Amino acid sequence: RPLLPKPLPIATLPTNYKEARRRVLEQFDLEYFTALRGVCRGDMNTACSVSQLSRPRLYELYRKYLPADQGRS
């Protein structure tokens, strides 16, 4: 499944660029971290290596974008 953002329907577009950008990036992050956790099978060392993020930053982003029961392995 590609990690590209899905186009927003015109009716749901926010009125300004900043809000539209925030929504697209939030959706990308959600899909990226969900896919990363699946590909790495919950292994944080592998996920850190693949994403090139530090362990504390990766935990922070997992907590933000993944359900509480999936934030840690």
Side-chain angles (χ1 to χ4, degrees):
R1 181 168 134 185
L3 295 176
L4 298 174
K6 297 172 186 88
L8 296 172
I10 296 297
T12 63
L13 278 177
T15 57
N16 64 65
Y17 170 80
K18 188 174 181 179
E19 178 62 16
R21 184 175 188 275
R22 184 195 65 77
R23 288 183 187 185
V24 169
L25 291 175
E26 188 171 279
Q27 183 62 38
F28 169 81
D29 286 346
L30 174 63
E31 290 182 24
Y32 179 85
F33 292 112
T34 299
L36 179 68
R37 187 169 194 279
V39 167
C40 297
R41 297 184 178 148
D43 182 281
M44 288 302 287
N45 288 330
T46 303
C48 289
S49 177
V50 168
S51 66
Q52 297 184 351
L53 293 170
S54 68
R55 183 177 290 265
R57 181 66 176 144
L58 190 55
Y59 274 125
E60 178 184 342
L61 292 167
Y62 271 14
R63 281 191 299 272
K64 181 176 180 179
Y65 291 106
L66 300 178
D69 63 334
Q70 293 184 4
R72 291 184 185 257
S73 44

